[in-house]
Amino acid sequence: AAEAEACVTYTCDAVAVSMFCVEDSLESRSRDFLPGIFAAYPDKKYALLTLPHTTPEFPLLAALQQVEPRPASAFDHVLYLYHRDALLSPALKLRPADADDAAAVAALTADMVNAVEIAQMFAQAIGPVQTKLAYVAECSEQVVGVLLLDACVDVAKVQSLYRLEDFVLLAEHEPRQHVELHTFVLNPIFAASSRFLLREVMRLHSATCIYYGIKDDTPVPDVLKEFVQLTPRPQVAVPAELTDELMASAAAAGEEPEDASPYSFASHALFLLTRKMMSEPKVVNNARIVVLGSSDASLALLEALVSVPYLHFSSLCLVAPKASQRLRAPRGTFASVADADEALEAAADSFFSRACSYTPAEVAALNLGSRVQIVEGRMLDLDRQGKAVVMTDGSLVRYDLLVVAPELGDQSLRSFGPEVAELRGAFSISDEDAAAAALEFLDERQLTGDAGAPVVVYGGSADAYCAVKALLTHGVPASDITLVVPPVAGGVVAGEPFGDEKIVSRVDVRLAALGVGVRRGLSLVGVEADEADFRTLGAVQLASAPDAEPELMICRTLLCCAEPHLDRPTFRALNHNSIVFDGGLIVDGRFRTNDPAIYAAGPLTKLARRLRTKGKPVAPSGRETGTKLAQALLLALDPNSSSPLGGDAPPFFSGPVSVAVDLPGGLYYYRVSKPLAGADSYSATLAHPDFGTELLTDSMSRPDAAAGLGGAVSYCSVRLDRYGAVMSIVYLGEVPADEGNWSRLIGLPAETVNRLPARFNEGLVPDIPAFLRQPCLMALYHDRFGEFRQALHAELHGDQDYLNLVHAVQASPAFLAGRPLDPAEFAHLLPDEKLELARARLRDYVQSNAAQLGMYLVPSSKVMAQMREAEAQPVVTR
């Protein structure tokens, strides 16, 4: 074999461009060099050109095709390629396909994974009944490409599922001008002409908007970089009873059931290209942006970068142990999208609470995997000089900008040394791999007949309660499980992790009814091995105080779910490379560490002391953090960026922060609040200077609530600030909370919520969750309600009557005293024509969003139209 290899003769059929210089005024004619290159080298087929990742592209590269590097490639430049036959590109033309092109199209697509689907769609386009559109790209009388389209696009549905209005003024585009691209296959030699072919499609079909949908199993074409991704819109969670009523009404009106449902989600990523975008080519940025960690902040950062309409980032990379899984569903929700052969992964994911920044439907609709390279693994070290992340398998991931935003996890066992961390039966639930290992260990004990051994879940985090439920779901008897909750500062258990002792007591009652043991105020101070097998866990040592005598508890399985921290390998890699870490990764107001090429965000960071921030820092949502981080990165990547971040001041966070926990015993916990510093517990919230009042309903105190009898029960607290705006909502009940709906109430005046404070004080609200699910409130939960408020405010802002109203409110005793305001006291100050204007704008808002707000009767609704038709029909009398 060695002799045969030695006899192999390698021939080079490429020529490399080693230097390229041209005056700026003649850059547009750069491609005129290409015919000369191949004329000088008639035996060569390819022209190659390399470029540093940080160098901006110049006009010549628009004619070349960028070659995607192999995952393990250490090549430090971007490689561009041009084939000799691409000189024929000026002869490329697009024409409608016919039956004679079937053989050529089949040969062109024979090696593709979806070749059968393409053949079926092509047959529909050239058959007697043409339901699709087909075009072929032809060069020198040879078919080199095929495009399959659908001329029937439900624009109203696209508008309801995606933020289409961000790019398109629908009034200027007729329905027939919208087409959907299903297939785009082109010989790679002519890949640089993709934009020309799309322009020809628009010309031949008189189209102005082309959509392209990408599903998980859809091959990602190179032409995708020409499109702009549409962001999925959050949907209104309509109660099941109201949904059934709307479906019944629609069925009576003769509508299709799937078209009548007001509660649907985008199922895949959708991309858009308009005629205007055709004249504005994207700027290609080849900087290698490596995101370390798959937290919500990381996903939001990638979402923001791929959504910039005028930029194409060609080298985005996500490095995380569960990167592929996280791009399918956020942590704590994987079970909703897992396949049948992913039962273990789904069970391991259930050990964690949900941050509610993303829903599985939103993640699926973003499909970031189609635009981002995925590297599954863990960072072992960092090479700052060479700008490379060293992985545990020894491979290198090179970067120009590194973003550190990992998911944190428990590290309790690290303090006891490596021997304890390697003890069989002792697990630090830091991520899904650790949870899966714990489940496999429990299954192994069950097979060996040792299933009745005690299991201790240690921790005061929300994940500890999730772990208890996961164990019960996995078949571990409740009598074998003991939840040990450590004390907080000062040795006093103050309602952690829920921040409310009343909620903790109700959860403990339900745990006791299940048979789960609960021990509070004990810290884990030691771990002992089994006397018969020193490699296996035998007991744990617990103490109520640092100087107290430890208590020995027999334990065969220990699951640590304490306060999350940064994992040791990542900390060591950063610390050994002199990245400043002082109780957190030190960053400035633009998320930069002391290395200008390394950014960081999330709970592992800490603002630099020179920024002189006072008090406890705000804990914002991961999604808002990632969006702010993207704005900071764009300042370094895009000179034309109009980022609102200015100077080095700390970023301001205002979005709601949510957490959801599926608790044992069929309970669901949900909390959403303003990002308010120093209000992380119930007592701290009441003592906060912005706190106003609390509206509370509690049906869990009934005697039969502990056993789960007597119907669904709940505990719900709506906390208002001193001006009467919704400050936070805390819920515990047997029915899942409407997470997306209730988060949109944060910051709204409570009187807007169907006069909730007034009705509550009158005793008309016995159940706040049921009140918040009323049909009349659905308009508040729509994602465009905030835009409606801003537009109405802008319209009235310069009006003198409105300014008089504002001055009267500011001079009122209630406002000066910081008490909630009653809008009814000031409505009479506006003239009737201004009130009618507000009502008209409200009707317009509901009518323009009727796809989700079909429960309202407005003049444009179908029910009202049927009523008008019935009234117009003559009455026949006998």
Side-chain angles (χ1 to χ4, degrees):
E3 295 178 357
E5 184 178 355
C7 295
V8 174
T9 301
Y10 295 95
T11 59
C12 178
D13 56 356
V15 57
V17 178
S18 57
M19 185 179 69
F20 177 78
C21 298
V22 65
E23 291 187 7
D24 294 344
S25 60
L26 301 176
E27 272 191 332
S28 60
R29 302 304 302 269
S30 299
R31 65 177 61 199
D32 293 345
F33 285 101
L34 296 173
I37 292 176
F38 291 102
Y41 297 92
D43 58 329
K44 304 299 182 182
K45 293 183 179 179
Y46 300 94
L48 306 180
L49 186 149
T50 62
L51 194 71
H53 280 271
T54 55
T55 301
E57 284 196 347
F58 41 87
L60 174 64
L61 300 181
L64 277 66
Q65 176 70 6
Q66 186 178 136
V67 181
E68 183 178 355
R70 296 182 182 273
S73 174
F75 190 59
D76 208 30
H77 283 59
V78 184
L79 176 63
Y80 294 86
L81 179 145
Y82 189 87
H83 194 277
R84 172 186 291 272
D85 291 344
L87 295 174
L88 301 174
S89 295
L92 190 67
K93 64 179 181 179
L94 190 74
R95 61 172 176 80
D98 53 39
D100 296 335
D101 299 319
V105 171
L108 184 67
T109 61
D111 296 333
M112 299 186 63
V113 295
N114 58 340
V116 176
E117 180 184 356
I118 293 176
Q120 293 175 350
M121 295 183 62
F122 187 80
Q124 295 175 4
I126 62 175
V129 180
Q130 298 181 357
T131 58
K132 305 292 181 183
L133 299 175
Y135 295 92
V136 292
E138 196 174 50
C139 183
S140 300
E141 300 183 356
Q142 181 179 353
V143 174
V144 296
V146 58
L147 287 77
L148 301 177
L149 303 99
D150 190 346
C152 300
V153 178
D154 190 345
V155 181
K157 186 174 183 179
V158 172
Q159 181 187 4
S160 66
L161 298 179
Y162 301 90
R163 298 187 182 277
L164 183 59
E165 295 91 335
D166 293 348
F167 303 100
V168 176
L169 293 175
L170 294 176
E172 300 180 0
H173 300 264
E174 298 181 11
R176 62 178 182 80
Q177 295 178 313
H178 297 259
V179 296
E180 182 177 3
L181 179 64
H182 284 283
T183 301
F184 187 99
V185 180
L186 182 64
N187 189 317
I189 294 175
F190 303 97
S193 301
S194 299
R195 198 175 188 87
F196 162 75
L197 296 179
L198 294 173
R199 186 183 298 111
E200 285 294 284
V201 168
M202 289 187 174
R203 181 182 66 83
L204 293 174
H205 192 69
S206 300
T208 58
C209 297
I210 300 179
Y211 304 91
Y212 197 5
I214 297 292
K215 299 181 180 179
D216 289 337
D217 56 348
T218 303
V220 180
D222 293 334
V223 74
L224 192 64
K225 65 182 180 181
E226 305 291 349
F227 288 75
V228 173
Q229 183 162 12
L230 293 176
T231 305
R233 291 177 49 194
Q235 300 297 309
V236 179
V238 180
E241 298 81 4
L242 180 58
T243 301
D244 295 340
E245 181 181 346
L246 294 174
M247 297 283 280
S249 301
E255 299 180 18
E256 294 293 334
E258 60 270 15
D259 296 336
S261 175
Y263 190 24
S264 57
F265 294 102
S267 59
H268 60 273
L270 189 64
F271 298 82
L272 170 70
L273 184 65
T274 66
R275 181 172 293 176
K276 179 182 178 182
M277 295 176 185
M278 279 292 185
S279 60
E280 301 172 353
K282 288 187 177 183
V283 177
V284 179
N285 190 306
N286 293 319
R288 294 166 295 185
I289 304 172
V290 176
V291 181
L292 188 64
S294 55
S295 62
D296 289 339
S298 300
L299 299 184
L301 166 66
L302 295 173
E303 176 192 358
L305 293 181
V306 301
S307 300
V308 179
Y310 58 90
L311 289 178
H312 170 65
F313 293 96
S314 62
S315 299
L316 294 175
C317 181
L318 177 63
V319 180
K322 293 290 183 180
S324 298
Q325 179 175 315
R326 198 63 69 243
L327 292 184
R328 292 173 58 190
R331 171 173 276 185
T333 63
F334 185 66
S336 61
V337 300
D339 298 329
D341 58 346
E342 296 174 318
L344 179 61
E345 290 81 357
D349 185 71
S350 64
F351 275 73
F352 302 94
S353 58
R354 307 189 307 276
C356 304
S357 295
Y358 287 93
T359 64
E362 286 181 294
V363 174
L366 288 173
N367 196 2
L368 293 174
S370 63
R371 309 286 294 275
V372 178
Q373 182 182 3
I374 299 174
V375 177
E376 294 211 346
R378 302 178 188 274
M379 179 175 73
L380 179 64
D381 200 358
L382 185 65
D383 181 6
R384 283 184 63 185
Q385 298 298 326
K387 287 191 173 182
V389 176
V390 183
M391 308 299 292
T392 53
D393 59 358
S395 61
L396 300 179
V397 180
R398 300 189 179 276
Y399 67 86
D400 297 304
L401 289 178
L402 176 65
V403 178
V404 182
E407 292 175 311
L408 307 185
D410 176 86
Q411 307 294 325
S412 301
L413 296 180
R414 293 287 184 180
S415 60
F416 299 110
E419 297 81 4
V420 173
E422 297 175 359
L423 205 61
R424 295 186 71 251
F427 300 93
S428 185
I429 308 299
S430 57
D431 55 19
E432 289 80 2
D433 288 338
L439 292 175
E440 290 177 338
F441 177 79
L442 291 171
D443 291 340
E444 178 185 345
R445 297 193 73 92
Q446 186 175 9
L447 292 176
T448 57
D450 196 14
V455 179
V456 171
V457 178
Y458 174 77
S461 66
D463 293 345
Y465 292 86
C466 292
V468 173
K469 180 180 180 181
L471 292 175
L472 294 172
T473 304
H474 199 67
V476 178
S479 58
D480 294 344
I481 303 174
T482 300
L483 175 63
V484 178
V485 182
V488 295
V492 179
V493 180
E496 295 295 337
F498 308 108
D500 191 339
E501 293 184 0
K502 291 179 288 186
I503 291 182
V504 173
S505 63
R506 284 153 177 78
V507 174
D508 285 352
V509 169
R510 189 60 62 93
L511 290 176
L514 293 173
V516 177
V518 180
R519 301 286 303 277
R520 294 190 174 275
L522 296 176
S523 298
L524 180 66
V525 296
V527 177
E528 294 187 2
D530 188 14
E531 296 179 356
D533 185 0
F534 64 91
R535 297 172 302 177
T536 305
L537 175 68
V540 294
Q541 296 178 2
L542 305 172
S544 58
D547 54 350
E549 184 69 21
E551 170 191 343
L552 195 66
M553 178 181 290
I554 301 300
C555 172
R556 293 294 182 265
T557 306
L558 172 64
L559 306 180
C560 294
C561 305
E563 183 179 356
H565 294 282
L566 183 65
D567 64 275
R568 188 65 58 88
T570 303
F571 168 76
R572 187 183 297 113
L574 296 172
N575 191 50
H576 288 182
N577 283 275
S578 302
I579 305 298
V580 179
F581 199 98
D582 180 17
L585 203 57
I586 303 301
V587 297
D588 61 9
R590 294 187 184 177
F591 303 94
R592 297 172 295 193
T593 65
N594 57 304
D595 186 332
I598 300 179
Y599 289 68
L604 84 160
T605 60
K606 180 181 177 182
L607 286 173
R609 295 182 182 179
R610 58 184 172 82
L611 298 180
R612 302 181 183 274
T613 55
K614 298 180 180 180
K616 189 176 181 180
V618 174
S621 70
R623 189 164 190 173
E624 186 177 15
T625 301
T627 303
K628 300 286 186 181
L629 174 59
Q631 295 172 357
L633 278 178
L634 287 174
L635 290 176
L637 297 170
D638 177 23
N640 300 321
S641 174
S642 58
S643 172
L645 297 179
D648 199 24
F652 174 73
F653 298 98
S654 59
V657 182
S658 305
V659 62
V661 187
D662 293 349
L663 297 169
L667 290 180
Y668 300 91
Y669 171 78
Y670 176 68
R671 182 181 74 244
V672 58
S673 61
K674 293 171 57 177
L676 207 59
D680 51 356
S681 67
Y682 181 66
S683 58
T685 301
L686 298 183
H688 199 278
D690 286 346
F691 176 77
T693 186
E694 179 184 27
L695 312 178
L696 174 65
T697 59
D698 179 16
S699 59
M700 299 192 70
S701 57
R702 298 198 317 247
D704 56 356
L709 303 175
V713 294
S714 66
Y715 169 97
C716 188
S717 169
V718 177
R719 295 154 191 174
L720 313 180
D721 63 16
R722 56 182 181 150
Y723 296 112
V726 179
M727 185 177 178
S728 66
I729 300 175
V730 179
Y731 169 81
L732 178 70
E734 297 178 335
V735 178
D738 298 336
E739 300 168 3
N741 287 0
W742 295 356
S743 65
R744 298 186 187 104
L745 296 179
I746 301 300
L748 284 181
E751 287 291 337
T752 307
V753 190
N754 199 11
R755 301 183 65 245
L756 173 59
R759 295 178 184 272
F760 180 86
N761 294 331
E762 295 170 2
L764 301 178
V765 186
D767 186 2
I768 290 180
F771 184 88
L772 298 180
R773 294 187 176 102
Q774 294 182 103
C776 63
L777 297 181
M778 295 298 111
L780 302 181
Y781 303 143
H782 198 278
D783 65 309
R784 291 202 181 101
F785 183 71
E787 300 175 5
F788 159 71
R789 293 180 63 208
Q790 295 176 0
L792 183 61
H793 174 75
E795 185 174 5
L796 295 176
H797 184 66
D799 185 82
Q800 188 59 45
D801 295 325
Y802 178 74
L803 295 178
N804 294 337
L805 171 63
V806 172
H807 295 156
V809 170
Q810 294 175 344
S812 64
F815 182 85
L816 297 176
R819 298 196 305 269
L821 303 174
D822 185 2
E825 299 180 5
F826 304 95
H828 67 279
L829 298 179
L830 275 179
D832 292 339
E833 59 269 18
K834 296 302 188 307
L835 292 175
E836 182 56 36
L837 173 65
R839 297 188 186 100
R841 295 295 179 265
L842 180 59
R843 287 193 297 269
D844 294 341
Y845 158 71
V846 174
Q847 292 178 165
S848 60
N849 299 283
Q852 294 84 26
L853 302 178
M855 65 287 299
Y856 293 93
L857 290 180
V858 290
S860 63
S861 65
K862 296 180 179 180
V863 175
M864 293 291 290
Q866 294 174 357
M867 294 174 60
R868 287 193 294 268
E869 291 177 1
E871 293 176 356
Q873 292 180 356
V875 179
V876 179
T877 58
R878 295 182 179 178

